[in-house]
Amino acid sequence: MAATLKDVARKAGVSIKTVSNVIHDYPHIRPATRERVERAIEALGYTPNQTARNLRSGRTGVIALAVPDLALSYFAELAGLVIAEAERLGLSVQVEQTGGTREREIELLRAPRLRMTDGLLFSPLEMSQDDAAQLRVDYPLVLLGERIFDGPADHVTMRNTEAARAATEFLVERGRRRIALVGAHEGEVIGSAGLRLAGYREALEAQGIGWDEALVAPAGAWHRIDGLRATRDLIASGVDFDALFALNDTLAFGALRALEEAGRSVPGDVAVVGFDAVDESAFSIPALTTVDPGREWIAQQAVRRIAQRIEDPGIDVQTMFADYRVVARESTP
Amino acid sequence: MAATLKDVARKAGVSIKTVSNVIHDYPHIRPATRERVERAIEALGYTPNQTARNLRSGRTGVIALAVPDLALSYFAELAGLVIAEAERLGLSVQVEQTGGTREREIELLRAPRLRMTDGLLFSPLEMSQDDAAQLRVDYPLVLLGERIFDGPADHVTMRNTEAARAATEFLVERGRRRIALVGAHEGEVIGSAGLRLAGYREALEAQGIGWDEALVAPAGAWHRIDGLRATRDLIASGVDFDALFALNDTLAFGALRALEEAGRSVPGDVAVVGFDAVDESAFSIPALTTVDPGREWIAQQAVRRIAQRIEDPGIDVQTMFADYRVVARESTP
DNA sequence: GTGAAAGCGCTAACAC
DNA sequence: GTGTTAGCGCTTTCAC
């Protein structure tokens, strides 16, 4: 089996404390002793047992990241950024998938598999404001996304409503008046869908454009297939529209597809705007105008915040908002 | 701080062994004792310290997965499948990104951050056959991908050359003769690029079609932007081609983009085939004909294999090949 | 400068 | 049925 401190001590003819001192670069060691110990470490191929250190220190150096599904580009890209930032801070990341169901999300918060981590970055998709109390956990927790506000935990999010308003105004400024929306969740008030829908309405009202229920296409999930179906339905309904705001990029890719099928040109007949600025949005045909939600900043702040809270659990709970930006590309005139 | 076994024992007025027995459902406990203990557990909100268990058992229940970058759809989708399968087996997954550089890949194999995991699923992108000796590590290791064969570790991979040959033949059968290839790595013999290029050549030779160096476009990395550039260069070179085989889907998306820019219709002027069958390939415009490499099977086998090896490190080293399948969609006639 | 020993929280062999 | 105790490998206080 693997060599232990004791093995090294025996081989070097010293006590384990001396070996430990060498490993931790304790300054006052006789050079000869140090060398003897180092030779023994080398000879035995000794590496410290991390688990034993964890038990001593009460830390593991691992944080958990819970996202709905890595097959969703937004979360895959977020996870990549989180892992990169965590590595900079000397942390590893255990990734969990909730599948985006409320039950699994709530279950995960108490799952034994988290007991080994120092904290959790949690991005729920289905839990709602009513479930906020579930976030009262006894470990460091940082919330991501826009399902729950004013909860008992740190929160890193973005200004969804303002950003959606900006995206809608971007279309209005380019002369569009009949702006369809794809991806609504009926009855949702907060959550990405609810907040972004509110921004869309605000923009239309501020511009004196009527709000037409027939232009709002619901889509339960936000996969490509959902954007495709919702847009097909919209076209089939016969409603007239000259622009389309998809509540995320993935929906927008499906929508582009449906418009192509129907022979509507983009941006000529229909201007399209997405939301998220996933990598792919720069390479769709046409390249997608979208809202960059500051994903990189979000990942960095979330990791830094949880590191701080691990260090000092007593710090005040905080909500942080990322800056957004409309990225103009070919899908709008 | 968190309650321990000892706290529970004191509260219930029993020894820690009795508490331990209750927790482990040891059958011979007096019902009254059991209930007293359970009440104490409840009252103190006791949960076992997982780190202490790890130290005792020598296991953590965590495996590491190392991929180049989660921003690459193929690896994000693979990671998602690995995590799902691991969960079924009661394992958690710590995800590491190597950035696809040889140095980081080799470094990772000895990184202290792995010392806390029970084993590693490793998908290198740059290490080569010459580095095979680096894979001789003292922990369970399962290799993924096609950079290194006959190494000292288990290996789950696919029949790249055969699959690329099938993809090329698929184009030939549909009447194409001037088949460009995008994504070659010069001088590479094994590795995804080398093996797939070999399949392309085999197919052309078997069909009695000449091999034209001018049709082979290199691309160092395999991002969309690389496919875009390589295809632009190909078009600019003036070489004539009626089909394009991209060595992965991401390159193919870039290629579709370049063809669109150049006014070449797909599949009319140019038929396009990709490789990987990432989710997005079903929703590009046009939908991409591609090779499904059996990613789901690969993820399952890899996780099961490492679980077996953790259980019994003595089992023989094994290489497993996934089945592939050409998925016909709109980018080919 | 170096060593002895306690203890992190748990499991399990062994006693009673 | 239940209790005692010896570790798992490490860090750290306190002697010497």
Side-chain angles (χ1 to χ4, degrees), chain A residues 4-332:
Chain A
T4 72
L5 264 192
K6 218 199 239 167
D7 298 331
V8 176
R10 186 161 351 105
K11 176 126 190 156
V14 298
S15 79
I16 61 171
K17 178 58 169 60
T18 303
V19 180
S20 178
N21 282 341
V22 171
I23 291 168
H24 293 93
D25 284 325
Y26 179 74
H28 309 297
I29 311 172
R30 216 174 317 192
T33 313
R34 178 189 297 278
E35 204 191 325
R36 219 153 14 106
V37 170
E38 279 169 349
R39 243 201 307 273
I41 288 175
E42 182 75 18
L44 295 171
Y46 170 79
T47 51
N49 179 315
Q50 194 54 47
T51 306
R53 287 186 163 174
N54 293 345
L55 178 57
R56 264 307 302 214
S57 67
R59 298 262 185 91
T60 63
V62 180
I63 58 174
L65 168 69
V67 294
D69 191 340
L70 288 182
L72 302 173
S73 301
Y74 178 86
F75 293 108
E77 292 175 23
L78 179 69
L81 293 167
V82 163
I83 292 169
E85 179 67 15
E87 189 173 342
R88 262 172 238 129
L89 304 188
L91 296 168
S92 300
V93 180
Q94 175 179 318
V95 180
E96 305 285 342
Q97 296 181 118
T98 60
T101 71
R102 177 171 168 276
E103 287 66 35
R104 293 237 329 156
E105 287 173 353
I106 291 176
E107 203 180 298
L108 179 81
L109 286 165
R110 325 245 161 240
R113 52 196 320 138
L114 295 185
R115 302 289 320 168
M116 223 172 350
T117 62
D118 290 342
L120 172 66
L121 302 184
F122 185 41
S123 183
L125 206 56
E126 280 294 325
M127 280 178 70
S128 67
Q129 198 70 42
D130 298 342
D131 301 313
Q134 302 284 351
L135 298 177
R136 196 171 302 284
V137 294
D138 60 358
Y139 51 80
L141 172 66
V142 172
L143 193 63
L144 299 170
E146 32 278 338
R147 294 295 305 173
I148 300 172
F149 287 85
D150 304 314
D154 290 318
H155 189 184
V156 185
T157 183
M158 66 161 305
R159 304 188 192 282
N160 276 276
T161 302
E162 292 176 37
R165 179 173 171 158
T168 309
E169 284 171 347
F170 182 89
L171 289 165
V172 174
E173 285 161 11
R174 277 153 190 76
R176 307 298 162 124
R177 289 294 176 274
R178 302 282 303 162
I179 303 175
L181 181 136
V182 168
H185 289 172
E186 286 184 46
E188 185 178 294
V189 176
I190 60 168
S192 309
L195 296 171
R196 292 175 195 173
L197 181 65
Y200 163 80
R201 294 181 83 152
E202 277 183 24
L204 294 181
E205 280 159 21
Q207 304 282 332
I209 301 175
W211 147 272
D212 183 352
E213 188 67 48
L215 285 170
V216 176
W222 282 3
H223 295 259
R224 290 182 184 85
I225 187 75
D226 304 300
L228 178 70
R229 289 193 183 130
T231 308
R232 276 183 184 156
D233 290 350
L234 208 57
I235 293 169
S237 78
V239 65
D240 177 48
F241 60 100
D242 57 12
L244 187 152
F245 176 29
L247 294 187
N248 85 351
D249 287 349
T250 313
L251 287 167
F253 298 137
L256 286 179
R257 172 65 194 238
L259 293 167
E260 163 83 13
E261 280 176 5
R264 312 243 181 142
S265 84
V266 176
D269 298 333
V270 182
V272 177
V273 174
F275 202 112
D276 277 353
V278 297
D279 292 351
E280 185 189 341
S281 64
F283 294 92
S284 58
I285 301 175
L288 186 68
T289 295
T290 185
V291 179
D292 179 350
R295 189 163 50 251
E296 191 156 356
W297 186 90
I298 290 174
Q300 278 179 10
Q301 294 305 313
V303 174
R304 288 182 196 165
R305 186 62 184 171
I306 204 154
Q308 284 170 11
R309 185 164 291 285
I310 290 167
E311 211 59 52
D312 178 5
I315 54 178
D316 285 345
V317 165
Q318 200 177 69
T319 297
M320 307 161 86
F321 290 91
D323 283 339
Y324 63 86
R325 202 167 54 89
V326 177
V327 183
R329 298 213 188 92
E330 301 164 349
S331 64
T332 49

Side-chain angles (χ1 to χ4, degrees), chain B residues 14-15 17-18 28-30 33 56:
Chain B
V14 297
S15 78
K17 180 58 180 27
T18 302
H28 310 297
I29 311 172
R30 217 177 318 203
T33 314
R56 262 307 304 210

Side-chain angles (χ1 to χ4, degrees), chain A residues 71 73 77 224 250 253 257 278-281 283-285, chain B residues 71 73-74 77 224 249-250 252-254 256 277-288 290 295 329:
Chain A
S73 301
E77 292 175 23
R224 290 182 184 85
T250 313
F253 298 137
R257 172 65 194 238
V278 297
D279 292 351
E280 185 189 341
S281 64
F283 294 92
S284 58
I285 301 175
Chain B
S73 301
Y74 178 86
E77 293 177 22
R224 290 184 184 82
D249 287 349
T250 314
F253 299 136
L256 286 178
V278 296
D279 293 351
E280 185 189 341
S281 64
F283 295 92
S284 58
I285 301 176
L288 187 67
T290 185
R295 189 164 48 253
R329 299 211 189 92

